[in-house]
Amino acid sequence: MSESSSDEPHSSRYISVPNALQLISKPFNGNPLELREFIPNVEATYLVAEPSDYSLLLKFVCAKIGGEAKTKLLSRTHLYTWKQVKAVLEENYSIRRTLDYYAHRAFTSKQGQAETISQWGVRMDTVCGDLQWAACIPMEDLAWTNGKR
């Protein structure tokens, strides 16, 4: 009788750091619109990499950050985890608008005169993605952000 999947060695559930890094499709150079793609890709790499490799993985993730964003990271001395790096990136590059703003845009958007239905559909996909992103922000973070800005 074969062994059950729960009896597999713990390390077989993870992939190597080089393979995990393939989930990060492109580097982040400070474009706020690309941050929403970069962060989930990095978090996916952490889900599939061995936890004992996290410090090595962080070095490779930081190597995927360039331009002005890299300069901002280099000016910090306390970045030892992905959570800390992510906080710096979000603090400097995330587009922060309220849930109401995105909901209003979604509910009042109309197709433009010269806009095809497919162009409007793409625009609405972006608006709804923004709305979903804003809905995921914890309320404590919004309270802290509004007090600081």
Side-chain angles (χ1 to χ4, degrees), residues 71-136:
T71 305
K72 294 219 186 265
L73 290 180
L74 291 174
S75 68
R76 307 288 177 106
T77 58
H78 65 281
L79 302 177
Y80 305 110
T81 66
W82 163 242
K83 184 177 179 181
Q84 294 167 331
V85 170
K86 178 182 167 187
V88 170
L89 293 176
E90 287 180 330
E91 174 185 322
N92 289 284
Y93 298 104
S94 70
I95 299 170
R96 295 187 173 143
R97 300 233 169 111
T98 65
L99 182 59
D100 289 340
Y101 171 83
Y102 291 117
H104 178 67
R105 279 190 60 205
F107 297 136
T108 60
S109 180
K110 296 180 182 175
Q111 183 179 354
Q113 291 282 359
E115 191 174 38
T116 67
I117 189 70
S118 61
Q119 290 170 327
W120 180 74
V122 168
R123 188 165 53 86
M124 285 306 300
D125 284 344
T126 302
V127 169
C128 291
D130 292 341
L131 176 61
Q132 182 179 11
W133 182 266
C136 293

Side-chain angles (χ1 to χ4, degrees), residues 17-30:
V17 170
N19 286 339
L21 286 169
Q22 292 178 12
L23 295 171
I24 305 173
S25 57
K26 58 185 175 180
F28 178 70
N29 293 310

Side-chain angles (χ1 to χ4, degrees), residues 90-91 94 96 136-148:
E90 287 180 330
E91 174 185 322
S94 70
R96 295 187 173 143
C136 293
I137 299 171
M139 294 309 290
E140 314 83 60
D141 186 46
L142 282 176
W144 180 84
T145 302
N146 289 336
K148 289 285 190 182

